[in-house]
Amino acid sequence: IGLRDDPIQPLVIRANIGDCVEINFTNNASGGDFGMHIDGLAFDAQNSGDAVGRNPSSSVARGQSRTYRFYVPEDDTFEGTHYVRPGPGNRDAVSHGLFGGLAVEPRGSTYHSPKDLSPIDSGWEAVIRPPGKKAFREYVQLYHEIGNEDYDVVDAAGAKLPRVDPTTDSYRPGARAINYRSEPFMRRLERPGAEDEKAHGYGSYTFGDPATVIPRGYQGDPTKIRILHAGAEVFHIFHLHGGGIRWRLNPKADPLFDYQKTGLDKNPEEGAGSTRLDSQAFGPGESYDLEIEGGAGGVQQGAGEFLFHCHIIEHYVSGMWGFWRVFDTRQPGLAPLPDRVPLPTAVDSAGLVGRTMPDGTTITQANLDDWIRPQLPPQGVPADDQDAAVWDWKTDERAAGAPVYLGEREDRSAWANYTNARDTEKLDGHPSLMAGDAVARLEGETVDRPKIRFNPSNGRPAFPLLRPQVGKRPPFSPNKHSGAPYLGETGNVPSGAAPSPFAGRQDGICPSGAPVRTFNIVTIATPVPVAKPVPGNAGVDAGGQIFVLAQDVEDVLAGRKQPEPLAIRANVGDCVAVTLTNRIPDAAVDRGFSKTNLHIHHVQFDTQASDGVSTGLSYEQSVEDYPTADPQLAASAGPGSRTLSLTDASKFQPGVAIAVGQGTEEIEIRTVESVSANTVTLTEALDKDHSAGHSAGTEFVQSRWYADVLMDNVFWHDHVDGIHGWPKGLVGQLIVEPKGSTYHDPVTGNQIRSGALADIRTTSPLATGQVEGSFRELALWTINGNSVSDSTVNLRAEPWANRTAVDPDPSVLFSSWRHGDPNTPLPRAYTGDPIAIRTINVGTTLDTLKVDGHRFFRENRFLDGENRTKATPTDTVHYGVSERYTAILDGGAGGPEQRPGDYLYANGIGRRFRQGAWGLLRVLPRRVGDLQPLPGREPNA
Ligand SMILES: [Cu+2]
């Protein structure tokens, strides 16, 4: 039974604004009398389904029936999911699934099956047709725990699941669920031979589709995701991947937002103010309506898998995840929205012949290979199931309209995770293929290959290109591990004489002419000094792991530069080009497998290769440690050279992409033309010098991001092993600054490329009415779970105990006269300097950030008609992992009264404060030699 039609799912029913809801309820359950209550609607006390206070009981005994009436008031703000549950005394039954949702839809809406648009009565997935407005797809997701926290979850055979997953260390595998379904990584990684597949826990290529919900849609479909916390045990934080696929915190406060406006948008409306979110913390009983900007595929209009999960890492590793599958061609079993032009049906390669492509090429049998080959991973037979450099595709030269391009041989191995039909329809008799696939068998082969499908309108491989191959690592993306294999790296690239499949693309990730900022990022293992040394404790996390710019690797490893989470910056309208390599040795990490990747939020990107996570049928986006996995240069190579002499060239095949100088700022990416013994010849010459001993190989990925709007600070992090990696430091942020900004060291004034403390020199407003020119900036992560101190800011801590051991007097606990300045970041500013704290939570519970003596706004661009801020200021915010705030201090440093002095900032959770997650903001009354003034601001002499 596929999940879509599975009768075992939470009951989701629907009503419209202004409707009377009449429920004929029969109790057939054992275990007592039950009623049915709907939260947030109007009802008579006799009709409430429970017995609260002096209200009469309205539950019914087993075998009995009654009718309940609820009323949806005439008010648009009632739209959304309302919790359906029995009386509140039945908490235990609720924790085992006695709950559902009533989705309130716009006035007069009708509800339809996503399969064929027939009317439906219930179900988590629906097509909603409101009169006078565009139809939208609706996905109702109920997040919940299984049982209470003392309950032992059992498997299908009745055996208790472990409290701690032996494959990942995650707590309570199988107990974190969406719509009664859980897909703990444990269930995937326990497959024999899966030890090196931890990076592919979300991968359908390696493990098949998960048991959890897979909403499906077509690019540009208007979409509302309605989330409800139906459990009662712990908070969750909904997070949706995919970059420019965001929603408003407060859509009704943003008159410029309209769910109906979908499709490609490289310059989205900055909006009247409500903040764009891709993470939302929610607790028991809370629900949110996420109206997706740009619709399915986001404003960048990608096709592919858009992962969603609770961002609390132990929750998603324990099963609370799924993905939204967005197609670019029409699929069996998924009806187009009734008011949208249907996408084309995919064709095989022969079906492209005679069509004219966006670059002006008319496809012929003669130029077909020039068109298709650059869009596929390099052709070759992988050396083993971990060889991601090639993909074993073929052409059938005997077929009608030959050549016809075929994918890998279908995997017919028996693996329970994809032998069931799940949300994506399967091809009968071919458990790993999709409905709509056609197969061919090559001479001499004993199994079929699926014909590769193409979008006939643009000649791209239709998503998904890949089909499951159980236990294998997926291939890297084509076009040199491009970050944008589907959308293209750059928009509107001019065409040439030859066929150029990446030319003429309106949806190329970066608009042509956008400035490109390049960051070569390396993950390294390095000791991190977390706390000041005290007798008996050096305060060093010997197992630290961080992202670092390649240019800084040697300085960090040599102790010349303090290790910290990586903050990088780009301006609105900039294109960011990233290479990622990994030099964390296997021996340095949990279970001896050190792969890393880099997942970013919020910016526009191509989810098929820049998400960081190889979700579903995406390309490989994680990398092994290159010093082990790849060879080194046996002799130096320099500009103009096309040959590489390597310590071992046996892993390379013609056509594969090779990064020369992995882990260095000089990294260059080329294509292998030929291999002879240990010499590799490249198709293009090198531009830079590379020393003997430097590495060259296939373990690298490229990402491409477009910072389309002023979205403030953006979280990024490793997504392979957050349980172990985030507390050690594998987190970062991209800060999107106003147009025209430059970034400077506050001490020297020199321009900088990274770092938590920066002066931002600009003439563009950060937030109208608050900061309209240059400002000072602190990137601040509250990172918890570190082995030196459970609570840190930016991997640094100033534990109270270290101070009270010296002087137990609490009245001077925070005195720098008594104890010196704390070890934590210490931003400095002159009175009145504009200052912004860019903060992100990296913990497993909710934390608060408090800034003493100052206030700031949760929403910085929530303005009235006269451009005055309408938001309410606060001095403390709470946030869960991945939630971020830009705290622009009202009145600047020293507040509206412009008072100099030292001000405390701290994590407000008592034990975290005591463990050292606090620091000082120093507001200086007059000019000092080692702090540059901001342009246009003259400090007192
Ligand atoms: Cu959670």
Side-chain angles (χ1 to χ4, degrees):
I1 303 173
L3 184 62
R4 182 165 299 105
D5 301 321
D6 191 340
I8 310 296
Q9 56 174 292
L11 181 67
V12 175
I13 52 177
R14 293 175 174 82
N16 296 339
I17 302 285
D19 279 0
C20 177
V21 179
E22 196 169 281
I23 293 172
N24 298 315
F25 176 81
T26 300
N27 176 12
N28 281 330
S30 59
D33 298 356
F34 293 103
M36 182 166 155
H37 184 83
I38 306 175
D39 282 0
L41 300 186
F43 56 89
D44 288 332
Q46 295 82 1
N47 250 308
S48 62
D50 53 17
V52 170
R54 291 185 179 177
N55 297 343
S57 173
S58 53
S59 56
V60 294
R62 187 173 190 183
Q64 303 295 302
S65 300
R66 67 160 292 163
T67 299
Y68 299 115
R69 278 181 200 84
F70 288 84
Y71 179 63
V72 189
E74 284 280 356
D75 178 340
D76 289 344
T77 61
F78 279 85
E79 184 176 334
T81 304
H82 298 255
Y83 198 9
V84 174
R85 55 171 177 77
N90 296 298
R91 191 59 247 171
D92 197 47
V94 170
S95 79
H96 289 283
L98 190 57
F99 57 73
L102 174 93
V104 171
E105 311 294 355
R107 269 179 207 80
S109 293
T110 54
Y111 327 132
H112 306 267
S113 160
K115 192 178 275 184
D116 56 13
L117 301 183
S118 58
I120 56 169
D121 296 323
S122 68
W124 64 274
E125 187 181 25
V127 170
I128 308 297
R129 301 190 70 177
K133 286 202 148 188
K134 287 187 179 169
F136 59 90
R137 292 192 193 275
E138 175 182 88
Y139 312 124
V140 179
Q141 296 189 6
L142 284 68
Y143 284 69
H144 60 101
E145 305 82 26
I146 307 283
N148 63 30
E149 291 299 272
D150 293 326
Y151 176 76
D152 285 311
V153 181
V154 296
D155 67 14
K160 281 184 188 176
L161 296 185
R163 288 295 174 103
V164 176
D165 169 3
T167 71
T168 65
D169 294 336
S170 183
Y171 183 60
R172 294 187 65 72
R176 313 295 177 211
I178 307 170
N179 292 15
Y180 298 168
R181 297 298 192 110
S182 183
E183 182 79 10
F185 281 21
M186 184 182 77
R187 271 289 177 257
R188 316 192 120 208
L189 295 172
E190 67 191 5
R191 200 189 68 79
E195 299 80 22
D196 47 7
E197 297 296 352
K198 192 182 273 186
H200 302 126
Y202 318 86
S204 302
Y205 184 83
T206 308
F207 293 108
D209 284 345
T212 43
V213 290
I214 304 179
R216 300 186 305 163
Y218 293 117
Q219 285 173 320
D221 284 347
T223 303
K224 300 185 185 187
I225 300 176
R226 308 198 195 273
I227 58 171
L228 167 68
H229 191 313
E233 300 297 315
V234 289
F235 267 78
H236 300 296
I237 298 150
F238 176 89
H239 169 55
L240 178 61
H241 283 223
I245 187 156
R246 314 165 278 222
W247 61 89
R248 297 295 200 276
L249 170 63
N250 192 350
K252 295 271 189 282
D254 203 337
L256 294 178
F257 180 76
D258 182 353
Y259 82 89
Q260 302 178 97
K261 182 173 179 279
T262 66
L264 182 68
D265 191 352
K266 301 312 286 187
N267 293 293
E269 185 63 60
E270 202 49 57
S274 188
T275 306
R276 288 176 165 90
L277 296 185
D278 69 2
S279 290
Q280 176 68 59
F282 63 142
E286 265 188 293
S287 68
Y288 287 90
D289 252 21
L290 318 177
E291 303 190 358
I292 304 298
E293 184 172 23
V299 290
Q300 75 271 33
Q301 286 299 286
E305 320 280 27
F306 295 82
L307 183 67
F308 51 80
H309 58 89
C310 173
H311 215 297
I312 294 174
I313 183 147
E314 305 231 17
H315 296 184
Y316 70 74
V317 174
S318 284
M320 200 175 239
W321 66 279
F323 50 77
W324 179 11
R325 184 164 272 169
V326 177
F327 295 102
D328 64 327
T329 58
R330 191 155 173 189
Q331 302 295 312
L334 182 66
L337 289 179
D339 51 5
R340 285 178 61 80
V341 177
L343 296 177
T345 298
V347 297
D348 66 19
S349 54
L352 292 178
V353 172
R355 295 181 190 267
T356 301
M357 295 292 111
D359 74 328
T361 297
T362 298
I363 301 292
T364 64
Q365 275 161 298
N367 66 19
L368 190 60
D369 197 66
D370 294 337
W371 180 262
I372 291 176
R373 188 172 291 268
Q375 297 189 78
L376 300 180
Q379 186 178 24
V381 178
D384 55 44
D385 65 10
Q386 294 299 299
D387 182 356
V390 294
W391 188 49
D392 185 19
W393 58 271
K394 294 281 188 194
T395 54
D396 183 354
E397 303 293 339
R398 302 174 307 165
V404 169
Y405 286 69
L406 308 177
E408 275 175 291
R409 279 170 291 196
E410 64 166 319
D411 184 353
R412 302 189 64 84
S413 56
W415 167 237
N417 260 6
Y418 66 78
T419 52
N420 293 334
R422 293 186 188 277
D423 265 15
T424 298
E425 320 254 328
K426 304 293 181 191
L427 183 64
D428 284 345
H430 300 270
S432 66
L433 302 186
M434 294 171 61
D437 277 342
V439 298
R441 189 170 295 190
L442 290 176
E443 204 174 346
E445 293 191 344
T446 56
V447 292
D448 295 329
R449 293 171 181 263
K451 294 179 179 176
I452 297 175
R453 300 191 211 170
F454 295 87
N455 181 330
S457 66
N458 57 23
R460 301 180 196 177
F463 181 80
L465 172 66
L466 304 177
R467 300 290 181 274
Q469 297 280 331
V470 67
K472 287 190 191 171
R473 185 181 184 190
F476 287 117
S477 57
N479 196 17
K480 299 176 182 170
H481 307 191
S482 165
Y486 177 81
L487 291 168
E489 294 174 346
T490 306
N492 300 310
V493 173
S495 317
S500 47
F502 293 103
R505 294 188 169 199
Q506 290 183 337
D507 56 355
I509 274 293
C510 294
S512 61
V516 179
R517 286 180 193 268
T518 300
F519 295 99
N520 297 314
I521 297 176
V522 191
T523 48
I524 63 170
T526 181
V528 176
V530 174
K532 293 177 199 163
V534 294
N537 188 344
V540 174
D541 178 10
Q545 295 174 14
I546 59 168
F547 292 97
V548 64
L549 295 184
Q551 65 184 33
D552 295 329
V553 168
E554 297 309 325
D555 282 345
V556 171
L557 291 178
R560 293 186 293 268
K561 193 172 164 70
Q562 164 86 21
E564 62 175 13
L566 182 57
I568 54 176
R569 295 171 177 83
N571 293 343
V572 174
D574 282 356
C575 178
V576 182
V578 173
T579 68
L580 176 72
T581 53
N582 169 19
R583 58 178 279 182
I584 299 175
D586 279 349
V589 303
D590 174 68
R591 293 175 179 80
F593 190 68
S594 69
K595 245 171 148 182
T596 56
N597 60 19
L598 193 170
H599 163 62
I600 190 156
H601 296 205
H602 280 301
V603 290
Q604 294 193 22
F605 61 78
D606 182 344
T607 185
Q608 294 189 30
S610 283
D611 187 71
V613 183
S614 314
T615 300
L617 294 167
S618 303
Y619 294 108
E620 169 64 312
Q621 295 164 54
S622 55
V623 285
E624 296 179 16
D625 66 317
Y626 66 83
T628 306
D630 283 322
Q632 286 76 44
L633 294 171
S636 63
S641 173
R642 276 185 56 210
T643 58
L644 303 175
S645 173
L646 296 168
T647 52
D648 181 357
S650 60
K651 74 178 291 184
F652 301 107
Q653 302 187 37
V656 307
I658 181 169
V660 184
Q662 287 154 301
T664 73
E665 199 55 44
E666 289 70 44
I667 185 171
E668 293 185 272
I669 294 157
R670 293 292 184 269
T671 302
V672 171
E673 184 177 275
S674 62
V675 184
S676 170
N678 283 334
T679 300
V680 161
T681 303
L682 308 174
T683 60
E684 285 178 82
L686 297 170
D687 290 332
K688 298 172 186 166
D689 273 316
H690 303 276
S691 308
H694 282 185
S695 292
T698 56
E699 293 298 327
F700 72 94
V701 285
Q702 302 200 61
S703 302
R704 198 147 176 107
W705 310 333
Y706 179 55
D708 56 344
V709 294
L710 197 52
M711 66 189 84
D712 294 318
N713 51 327
V714 176
F715 189 29
W716 51 266
H717 54 87
D718 170 66
H719 220 305
V720 174
D721 186 8
I723 287 180
H724 300 97
W726 298 349
K728 294 173 180 165
L730 282 179
V731 298
Q733 54 179 299
L734 170 74
I735 306 174
V736 180
E737 307 288 8
K739 278 191 171 145
S741 298
T742 55
Y743 328 133
H744 301 261
D745 183 318
V747 174
T748 65
N750 295 335
Q751 287 209 31
I752 54 173
R753 298 196 65 222
S754 68
L757 283 168
D759 289 347
I760 310 303
R761 299 185 186 170
T762 185
T763 54
S764 304
L766 170 64
T768 301
Q770 294 186 65
V771 174
E772 302 196 334
S774 301
F775 59 97
R776 301 192 193 274
E777 179 170 281
L778 167 65
L780 188 154
W781 299 257
T782 46
I783 301 174
N784 301 330
N786 188 268
S787 62
V788 173
S789 173
D790 191 44
S791 308
T792 76
V793 286
N794 297 14
L795 299 177
R796 298 194 223 173
E798 183 75 10
W800 292 15
N802 291 2
R803 296 184 155 216
T804 54
V806 174
D807 183 343
D809 180 356
S811 74
V812 293
L813 183 58
F814 297 94
S815 169
S816 295
W817 300 116
R818 183 68 190 87
H819 295 287
D821 283 337
N823 187 41
T824 44
L826 200 158
R828 297 175 305 153
Y830 298 115
T831 44
D833 281 351
I835 182 166
I837 299 175
R838 311 284 204 169
T839 190
I840 295 174
N841 181 282
V842 189
T844 54
T845 52
L846 268 66
D847 292 306
T848 68
L849 179 72
K850 181 179 183 64
V851 184
D852 190 32
H854 295 77
R855 299 197 304 170
F856 49 91
F857 300 94
R858 283 196 176 86
E859 294 205 90
N860 290 315
R861 299 179 188 88
F862 190 7
L863 305 175
D864 67 11
E866 275 82 52
N867 276 353
R868 289 181 306 236
T869 183
K870 275 172 77 179
T872 305
T874 182
D875 62 6
T876 306
V877 287
H878 71 267
Y879 55 165
V881 56
S882 83
E883 289 189 298
R884 49 76 196 249
Y885 288 96
T886 283
I888 300 173
L889 302 189
D890 192 26
E897 304 286 325
Q898 312 262 302
R899 304 280 178 183
D902 280 354
Y903 292 91
L904 189 70
Y905 68 82
N907 189 328
I909 303 293
R911 74 188 157 90
R912 302 212 177 282
F913 193 2
R914 288 193 298 276
Q915 286 162 347
W918 65 275
L920 300 175
L921 161 65
R922 181 155 292 162
V923 180
L924 301 166
R926 62 188 68 83
R927 173 119 195 215
V928 295
D930 62 351
L931 183 65
Q932 299 283 321
L934 289 174
R937 293 189 60 85
E938 197 48 53
N940 296 324

